[in-house]
Amino acid sequence: MKTRHIRIISVFVLGLGLTLLFPGYATGQPTQDIEAKAAQIERDLNAANDQVAALVPQLQAAEARLADTDTHIKTVQDEIARIKSMINGRAAAFYKAAGTVGPFDALNAHQASDLSARSKYGDVAAGNDDNLVQQLAAQRTELDKARAAAAAQRDSVAAAKADAESAAADQQKLLDQVKGEVEAEMRRQTAARATAAAPARSMVPVIGSGGAGAAAAFAQAQVGKPYCNTAERFGPTCYDCSGLTTASWRAGGLDIPTTSGAQGAAFPHVDLGQLQPGDLITTSSWSAHVGIWVGGGYVHATSYRNNPDAVKFVAGTGSVVDAVRPH
């Protein structure tokens, strides 16, 4: 059993090593290709989890056999102790009775006969007791061997289960990494599609380039999505104001602070007449609200919580009071 489990675990470990070394997981591959690899990793993960699940009842059975053997050993130990106690008691009673015979009592034929009978009975009883103790001792030896085998089996299954759990954990980490690459690639493609579709949205086309252009394009692509200020505020299904600007600049390749006040304080101010796509703007104060300039206007997530299309494009600079430029 131990060899079989080690062989199974070796397959998992080898597969994991090849997966980690396989160069096809590089970021930037087409989304469909990365998703196919993620699906394969997920199948490997499911196989590892299935192996763990299969080993659980085997481990439980091995532990049950070990406990059952321990119970039998205890029974034999108790029986050996009982017989030894009985032997000691019988010997004490015999010699006590024999000790009552005085030197002149041997002339009494009845008592002499009784003493001889006691001696013969004692010899037979002692021989039977010795045989029984020897049988029990032999049984104890066999039980000790059975216990050692059960313990070895239990340890082997437990080790195989631990290896399978470790392999599953490694596969899970790799799957999370590849899924992150899928999400990044999807954000990049979304931003690219938004750039191409910008005129159809009646917005001014993004004129920026590089990271700033990608950030502005990403923001445009989120127009029409709802507001939220929970852990999901960074998208992709809903945003608050600073969650939108943070996610937009992540699409542009830059991690910026995640609150409006910190964003306004982190970068240099720019003149409102010199706004460029990707610049962060505020319409009141940095601690209250932030949006992102996309060219000809800005995109922001309004704070109307029940508004199903809270992410909006606003043309012009009429309500903009300040701006900073991430770099």
Side-chain angles (χ1 to χ4, degrees):
M1 176 178 290
K2 184 175 182 179
T3 302
R4 180 169 64 87
H5 288 317
I6 292 175
R7 187 181 301 116
I8 292 172
I9 299 305
S10 297
V11 171
F12 281 120
V13 174
L14 176 60
L16 177 62
L18 291 175
T19 301
L20 289 170
L21 295 174
F22 191 72
Y25 287 108
T27 304
Q29 292 288 329
T31 303
Q32 185 176 6
D33 188 36
I34 301 176
E35 286 179 334
K37 293 180 177 102
Q40 180 58 53
I41 296 172
E42 193 157 14
R43 286 191 291 271
D44 294 341
L45 173 61
N46 290 336
N49 286 330
D50 289 343
Q51 177 65 15
V52 173
L55 288 170
V56 168
Q58 295 182 35
L59 180 58
Q60 292 173 339
E63 290 175 339
R65 282 191 292 272
L66 182 58
D68 185 57
T69 304
D70 284 338
T71 300
H72 285 304
I73 289 175
K74 178 66 167 53
T75 301
V76 171
Q77 286 176 325
D78 291 344
E79 183 64 10
I80 290 175
R82 187 188 69 80
I83 292 174
K84 286 184 176 179
S85 176
M86 184 178 65
I87 291 172
N88 292 335
R90 183 184 297 122
F94 176 77
Y95 286 111
K96 181 178 179 181
T100 62
V101 181
F104 299 104
D105 290 338
L107 298 175
N108 186 315
H110 174 72
Q111 290 180 339
S113 176
D114 182 62
L115 179 60
S116 176
R118 284 175 179 271
S119 178
K120 290 179 181 179
Y121 171 76
D123 291 343
V124 172
N128 289 337
D129 291 339
D130 287 343
N131 288 336
L132 185 55
V133 169
Q134 289 175 2
Q135 291 174 11
L136 289 171
Q139 185 178 355
R140 167 64 192 274
T141 299
E142 292 302 316
L143 286 172
D144 286 341
K145 292 179 181 179
R147 187 189 189 285
Q153 184 183 36
R154 187 270 316 273
D155 294 343
S156 173
V157 176
K161 179 174 176 288
D163 288 342
E165 288 172 340
S166 177
D170 289 339
Q171 291 284 1
Q172 184 63 61
K173 290 179 182 177
L174 186 60
L175 180 60
D176 291 342
Q177 175 186 341
V178 174
K179 283 184 175 179
E181 294 178 5
V182 172
E183 292 175 0
E185 177 66 16
M186 291 180 68
R187 286 197 299 267
R188 186 193 66 77
Q189 293 185 10
T190 297
R193 287 194 298 269
T195 301
R201 296 172 180 269
S202 301
M203 297 182 189
V204 177
V206 174
I207 60 173
S209 61
F218 180 91
Q220 284 182 317
Q222 311 314 307
V223 169
K225 292 187 177 181
Y227 178 91
C228 65
N229 64 350
T230 62
E232 289 75 34
R233 69 189 187 92
F234 300 102
T237 58
C238 62
Y239 300 89
D240 68 358
C241 65
S242 57
L244 173 65
T245 52
T246 299
S248 296
W249 265 104
R250 282 177 181 170
L254 179 65
D255 283 329
I256 65 174
T258 58
T259 62
S260 57
Q263 290 174 4
F267 306 109
H269 292 267
V270 295
D271 187 276
L272 298 186
Q274 303 296 321
L275 288 173
Q276 296 179 7
D279 288 347
L280 303 181
I281 62 93
T282 182
T283 56
S284 54
S285 68
W286 287 110
S287 61
H289 193 63
V290 66
I292 183 168
W293 186 257
V294 296
Y298 61 90
V299 174
H300 71 146
T302 64
S303 58
Y304 300 107
R305 297 172 186 266
N306 295 323
N307 189 347
D309 58 345
V311 180
K312 298 181 178 296
F313 170 76
V314 179
T317 60
S319 56
V320 177
V321 299
D322 196 9
V324 297
R325 181 164 297 157
H327 60 82

